[in-house]
Structure formats: C-alpha cells, structure tokens
Amino acid sequence: MLELKSVTKTVGQEAHIDDVSLALEPGTLNVLLGPTLAGKTSLMRLMAGLDRPSDGQVIMNGVDVTGLPVRQRNVAMVYQQFINYPTLSVYENIASPLRVAKIAAGEIDRRVREAADLLQLAPYLDRTPLQLSGGQQQRTALARALVKGAELVLLDEPLANLDYKLREELRAELPRIFAESGAIFVYATTEPSEALLLGGNTATLSQGRMTQFGATLDVYRNPVDLITAQTFSDPPLNTIAAVKEGGKLLVDEGRLSVKAPAAASGLADGPCTVAFRPHHLLRDKPGRGAVTFKGTVAVTELTGSESFIHVDMHGARWVALMHGVHAVPSGAEIALHVEPQRFMLFDAQGRLARADIKEAA
Amino acid sequence: MARIEFDRIRHSYEANPQSDADFALKEISMGWDDGGAYALLGPSGCGKTTLLNIISGLLHPTDGHILFDGADVTRAETQARNIAQVFQFPVIYDTMTVRENLAFPLVNRGVEHSEIARRVEETLRIIDLEDKADRRARGLTADEKQKISLGRGLVRNDVNAILFDEPLTVIDPHMKWVLRSKLKELHQRFAFTMIYVTHDQTEALTFADKVVVMYEGQVVQTGTPDELFLKPRHTFVGYFIGSPGMNVLPCSMDGKTAHVGDQAIKLKHGAPTDAGELALGIRPEFITLTSGRKGLPFTVGRVEDIGRFRIVHGDVAGHKVAAMLAEGAEIPAHPRAVFDPANLNLYADSWLVEPQGVAA
Amino acid sequence: MNKTWNNRAWFMVLPVLLLVAFNAVIPLMTVVNYSVQETFGNNLFFFEGVKWFQEVLRSDRFHASLMRQLLFTFLILAIEIPLGVAIALAMPRSGFWVPVCLVLMALPLLIPWNVVGAMWNIFALPDIGLLGYGLNALGFDYNFTRGPLAAWFTVVLMDVWHWTSLVVLLAYAGLRSIPDAYYQAARIDGASPWAVFWYIQLPKMKRVLTIAVLLRFMDSFMIYTEPFVLTGGGPGNTTTFLSIDLVKAALGEFNLGIAAAMSIIYFLMTLLVCWVFYTAMMRGEDQ
C-alpha cells in the first residue's frame, strides 16, 4: 500500500502540491484527474521518489520511503511521449528492466513473451520501435513498465499523443491489463470521460490540492464541492450564481425566482451556486416539477447521434447535451427544463449543500 | 471568399511514384462550397494533412489541378492564395504584443494605419482578448495563443478560406468546448470557408456541416454528421465515427433474411447474389437489451459506466457486440439484443448495400 | 527544481573540487599575495597594501592596452556575430550539403591557437605569403610587421577566420529548432524575408546568441597566443593586448607586483561582464 501523509511540495513561493493525503491499495487503478498544471505530474514525481516532498511523508507498505531515491524503489513509469530505446528491438526494450535486474535468461524470455501477448505485441518483437505505429510504441513502453513487476506503476497521460480511435482501443484494454498485474496503478489524465471509462478510483486535483478521492463513479455522482464537480464534467458543468432568500433562490438579480426546496434548508441565506450536468438540461418538460429556463441559443453542434446546444441563460453560458439531432438555429429563443433532483447546490465557499433536492420549485 | 475545386488531385512524396501504393493521396475530385464548414477526419497517416497543405499551397500536388473560383492556382504560392491557417501548436510572434500579432498580416500587406487599428480592434473583440491586447503574446495560455493564431486570419476579412490543422491538440478539455463553439459561432456570423483537419470525431462532427472521412489516402465518404452516423457508406466510417464504433457482424443472406451464426434477422432488402463478403452493421445506440422473446441472445461481458450512459460489451452468436444503455436503465437477467430495423445496414465487401443493388 | 537528491553525489564532485582548488584557487591566492607585496629578490617580501593597484590604475600603459583590448573585442564581436548569423541563415536546412557545411565550419575550431598564429604569420608575409603578396600585388602597401593598421587588420581577420564558425554553429542550432509551422504561418501572414528574420528567427536565436556573445567576449578579452605568435604585440605596442602586456610585465620585466595587480583587475573585469550577461540571460528566461 502506498500512503501519502500531508505531502506538500513548494518550489520557491509556489505550492505545486498542497497538503495531499492519500492511501492507494495494491491491485487498484487510481486516476489523477485535473486540468494542465493541476499538479498531476508533480504528485506522480513525489510518489515515484523523483522529487522529495517539502513536507509530509511517503509510506510504502508501512515503510517510510520519504527521501528514498527512485533507483531504490520498485517503480515503473510511462509518459505521454513514447519513450523507448530506439536502437533496441521491441523484445530487448521490454527485456531491459529484467536485464538490469540480472534475471536468468529463461525467465526473461518467459516474462517478455507473456507481456508481449498481453499487449498484443508478439508479432513485432523483432522490430525496432521506430518501425511501429504510435499505438504500438506506447504498448511497448507499457509492456516494459509491466514486465518489471513494479509495485507502483505511474502512467502520465499515456494516451494523450495517440489518435482518438487508438486511444479508445487501448483504454478498453487497460483495465484488464491492470487487473492481471496486482500493482498499484496511478493514471493521470485531463479528460473526465477517460476517468469514467477506466473506472477504479479517482482523485480530482485542482491547483495542487486534492479536492476529493473515492470510487470514480461516486466522485462523479457525488462531488463534495464545486471545483470537483467542474473538474469532473465533460461537457463543462452548467452553473449559475443565485442568492438564497428565505424560501427562494433568486437568479439573475431576481429576474428569475425559484422556490428553494426544503432539502436546501442547510444552506444559509446569501449567495450560492446552482449547478447541474449538461445531459440533465432537457427540451421536453419531464414532469410538473421541472424548473424551466428561457434563453437564447448561441450555437448548436450536431454529431449525428447527439446534439450540443449552447445557450445563453440569465447571463450564463450553458450546454445542453441531447440524444438525436436537434438543429436549433442560433439566436432562437428556447425553453429548457431541469428536474429538481438534478440540481447541485454549492454555498459561497463552493461546498456542496445538498446533492438531492426532493421537492419541486 | 471562393469556391475551391479539386480536379483529379493526386500526391506522392516520392520522386517517381510507380504504383498506387506510392501515393499518399489517391485521386480526388471534389468541390468545397464557398462559406462551408468542412472537417477532414481520419486516422494519422490517412493523407488529411497532405490534402490541407495542397489547399494552402505549402505543397504542390503531383497530378491534377486545384481551382479557386475557376482560376487554376495549382502552382501558385501560399501568399498568392489568400488563405489563413491555424496550426496544431500555436504560432505566435514572441516579441510582439497581442495587438501587434493581429496587426502583423495587415502591416505586411501595406494596409493603411487607421484601417489596421479599426480591424485589429474588431478582431480583439471577436476573439475576446480586448483586456489582454497590450500584453506580450508569449505569456498567454495555449488557448489564448490559438485564438491569436485564428485572429491573424480573421483580421484579414477577405481570406478565401481558413484552414485548421488539429488546432485543439494542446488545449485542455474544458477549453476545447469553449473554443469549438466559438469557432462555430464565428462561422455562422462571418461565413468564411473553414476546413478543419482532425482525428477526433467529436471535433469533426460538431464543427462541420460536411465531414470528409479519409482512409489510406482516399475519401471514403463525404456527408453531414447524421448521414455519417446513420448511413456509413463503408464499415471504416461506421467504426471510426461513433464511440464505441458500429458493430459489424459477418452474415449470409437468404433472400431478405440475414443469418448471423444460427440466428436469423429479417431485413428490408437483400443483397445481389454476387455481392461478396456480407456483414450487418448496427450501432450500439440502436441496440436495445430486452428480457422478451424477440431479438438475439446476448451474453453480457464487461460493462463500462460512464455516468450519463453505460456501454455493455457482450457476445451475439459468437461475435463481439457493444450496446448502449441509458442512465438508470437495468440490464435484464437473460437479455436479448433487439436491433432497430431502420438503422440496420447491410455491407458487401465493406461497402454499404443500398436497397437497389450494390453501392460503388 | 526537478533534481534528484543524493548526498553521496558530493563524493563524486570531490575530485573536481580538489582539482579546481589546485589549479584555480591556489594560483589565484598566490597572485593576490603578490599583488599586495614588494619583492627585491632573495624571497624577501614587504607588505605594500594597495600600492600596485593604484599604480596600475594610474598607468598610461595599462590604459592604452585596456583600450586596445576593448577595441579589439568590440571589433570582433561586431564582425563575428552578424557574419555568423548571416552564414547560418545561408546554410541549407536539410539534405546532402548540411554535413558538408558543418564539417567545413568546424575545421578552423579544431586548429590549436599557436598553429593558427603561425599559419597566419606565413599566410600574411608580404614577400611569400599568399595574403600579403596578393594584397601588395593589388596595389595595397601591406606589411603587418611595419604598419599598425595592417597589423590590426591581420589580427582581426585571423580571429574572424578562427572563431566565426563557433557563432555559425550556435546560430544554426538555434535556427534548426524553429518548427516549420512558424515559417508556414509567416508565409500565410505575408511576411517579408526581413520580417521573418526580425520577428521569428532572431527572437528564437536570442538565447544561443547570448551564449555566443558571452563566449566570444571572454575568449577575445583574454586572447594571447594568436596575436603573440603573429605580431608579438607589435609593431611597437600597437597590438599589445591586456594579456600580452601582462606577460610582458610579469616575465619580461619581472614586475611581479604590478603584474599581479593587473591580473586581479583583469580577472574582476571579466567576472563583472560575465555576471552582467548571466543575469541578463536569466531574466530573459523568466519572462
């Protein structure tokens, strides 16, 4: 088990990682989700031992390894760039960590072929990496990381440089490959959909701080604060500033008044944020309780299977994600509806007030 | 503004191309309407960037002609074609401010000072960078830099076309949404001809009115996003567009009945007897899992829950099939897969079989 | 910031520290020692304070050689940097000629200093040297051992021949690192070749050029061997640069105190300029 205890990394005046505590179990896949510069790579470097934390402890299987250099840890890493030894064959590339560890030739051969089978590289073992496609090059790098039998495998946006479809294929294979290994996997990505497809656990990062950690779907469905909900939403989360006044939520300087549900009673009067996901903004009124918003269509994007309608509502720009083709012209007036139980309410500090609003407005 | 025409364009990077395989771009004849929003979609190495560079004049085709409003520009240099281009990695002039960056193409063309100031001001407003106009461009974020690259095209307001070469590669997911819808809005407002190269289906489909799908140097289908989605002309299009892609089930035909393994499915039309290898194509979106007696037995494998829907991977008559399930829907205990007959396509040698015979 | 820590690494550095101590710190301290004392031989030393420093700083001879030194450094920087950039721009970006050009460019850099001096000495001889004979045949009255102008011309030309390649190689490396998209964008923006140079190539070369200027400054400011072999500092003292003057004072005239004080002033000047460059460079990177 890998434990981080209040790990902080400051460079100059800047906190790259701010007080992160985390416990990762063997045989789990853990996604670090956050935008560029959120601290994903910095956190991985601390886990690997490439950097020493300014404060806090890193504990591996109960042993304090804070400050132990990466060479003395059993760690493997895969990067966004396809990093292989260009002059060595795929076979030798995969075998390289075993050769360093001075493992018997027969055992090396067995483990290399096993990893190659797992990653569908068996036909290419005699080629050099430059004769392979991008996807195969990254598979080679993955095989090398796996064959090492490392306790901790760190993957830093490993699919970012691949084509969309290749990404889709590898992403589908990864959970199976991870499950067979038993190591602790840490996987950094900027894409919420990637986290969801991989499953496992997710830690959301924002500006060097970990905002939430838990089972991926649980974090997605029950974010503890606004930042987490925004980080974990693609298309972007729809939000609007509101003011709670007694039993009412006032939006757009009072131009729209929504009856505050009883479930939001935990929220004090004053400014708050109302948020909901793009696929919960509907064109057809789902029921009597639904809240209706009226606004103007800015632009509509059609993918053939889905439509993204970007709308200006009460001074906010929202996206509605719908099935099928909804070709709404720009500039058109539109009424969209949200079921009240889909609302998430956040207080002035961005903390979730209540996930479920039982009663209609 | 201009209509762009391709007349039997071919291109090879080799000095003496012998066979078809030597051509990175196989023969293409097509037109690009003035004011259209096009996407060139395909995997890496399919020839889409080659095609883009032929339009911009950075590359001269081995064979064929390219016409702008009927005038042959095949050998014309980039400057003479009056096009703008946004590259994969933002290109900005480091030493200049945002304002100077935008003014640069106009200064080079000797436009009058007051006119430059007016157009730069207007462009700043369009790309939402008014408050950063006098900042050094090098200190800005990737998406702001990409806006500047775009702005240098918009400021010229007389360009024949604006070309985009995977412009959102280095942009964070959240900003992608903002930039993409911004592009679409700009297109609707100014009606520039825009041609957008990408390997990302979402970008291509959301941006374009017409998507050109390329595969191994060939255009396999040109169509609107819903044409590509509902009637993929080639199984590659079915696979490449949609996530997950279309399910392809090899089958045999008996009149209007398709046989997949030991299962039979009634179709609206049959295939000619000499049609070659046959297969059924059905998108995961058009498969429903029911507990009734209709449909084909479906063995459930891996299930991916991605929040707003679930992807159920399974097996139908020995073939891998993926189905999509709405948020909250349950998987029945002994599920059967029902294919929506309206969206079930028949393919012969990977090409769509139209109701009247075999498509080309 | 991305450094691996390991205290054992210090042991690896130890030999270098010792080496530096022996060949830099200890000689420097000896020089400092000399610079504040007077000796009349027999290993008798008397403390003199800052007397030698005052004497050096007031001496016309020091001023003259310093001015010559500054003029020389200024001239060769003014010639070599633009010339090096121009040659780098003219070099092919790809193909068969790239390695050929690079090897040709690297050749002068591989020749030892004293050989360069000797080569140019013969090359420039008015009676048998190709350059000297040629110039005289063209009607110039050229003799670098007699005319100060001719001597300067030869010394500067020699340095340009020897060191412009360094600037070329650095500038070329800088140019090669510019992605193609920049040139394509410039073509699309209708930029003239001059605008491409000014707004793309020069800004992208800024860092390597700073390094080139720094290297050429230090080297030329300390130049000794080549002019010593070529002109011996003459005719008269017209090509006596600081280092030549220093050696004359120390070994020719055995004025150890003066020479030591000169060395230290010399050293501090070089250090100052390097520091100014270094901070300028670092500030440029922070932006």
Side-chain angles (χ1 to χ4, degrees), chain B residues 165-179:
Chain B
D165 190 359
E166 313 215 354
L168 300 183
T169 306
V170 294
I171 312 291
D172 266 353
H174 281 72
M175 283 317 293
K176 275 185 188 169
W177 284 87
V178 178
L179 271 187

Side-chain angles (χ1 to χ4, degrees), chain C residues 222-283:
Chain C
M222 297 184 293
I223 193 166
Y224 175 76
T225 318
E226 299 145 282
F228 182 76
V229 174
L230 184 71
T231 63
N237 273 334
T238 48
T239 57
T240 299
F241 302 124
L242 270 183
S243 57
I244 298 179
D245 201 18
L246 183 64
V247 174
K248 274 185 187 167
L251 303 180
E253 299 150 24
F254 218 70
N255 259 328
L256 284 186
I258 295 265
M262 246 171 99
S263 301
I264 286 170
I265 293 165
Y266 195 7
F267 172 69
L268 290 178
M269 281 194 296
T270 317
L271 205 64
L272 178 78
V273 174
C274 290
W275 178 75
V276 168
F277 263 104
Y278 181 79
T279 21
M281 227 159 77
M282 286 298 130
R283 187 168 306 154

Side-chain angles (χ1 to χ4, degrees), chain B residues 316-330:
Chain B
V316 167
H319 302 290
K320 279 185 187 168
V321 168
M324 258 166 167
L325 226 58
E327 192 179 21
E330 290 299 318

Side-chain angles (χ1 to χ4, degrees), chain C residues 21-124:
Chain C
F22 273 106
N23 75 26
V25 179
I26 293 172
L28 188 68
M29 292 327 288
T30 322
V31 171
V32 171
N33 196 25
Y34 279 136
S35 73
V36 291
Q37 301 190 72
E38 167 76 290
T39 177
F40 303 100
N42 298 334
N43 260 345
L44 284 171
F45 289 92
F46 307 91
F47 186 71
E48 289 283 7
V50 294
K51 181 181 134 187
W52 299 128
F53 288 92
Q54 286 172 333
E55 206 163 298
V56 167
L57 288 174
R58 286 189 193 127
S59 108
D60 292 338
R61 174 176 149 184
F62 177 75
H63 291 167
S65 52
L66 178 62
M67 288 322 286
R68 281 193 292 270
Q69 184 67 68
L70 289 173
L71 179 66
F72 175 73
T73 296
F74 172 79
L75 273 178
I76 68 111
L77 283 179
I79 296 169
E80 287 175 14
I81 300 292
L83 184 64
V85 171
I87 295 174
L89 286 171
M91 269 171 61
R93 281 171 60 82
S94 59
F96 167 75
W97 290 104
V98 173
V100 176
C101 286
L102 288 178
V103 168
L104 281 178
M105 281 295 141
L107 273 180
L109 299 175
L110 302 175
I111 302 172
W113 288 269
N114 55 347
V115 177
V116 171
M119 252 169 63
W120 277 77
N121 191 320
I122 299 166
F123 183 49

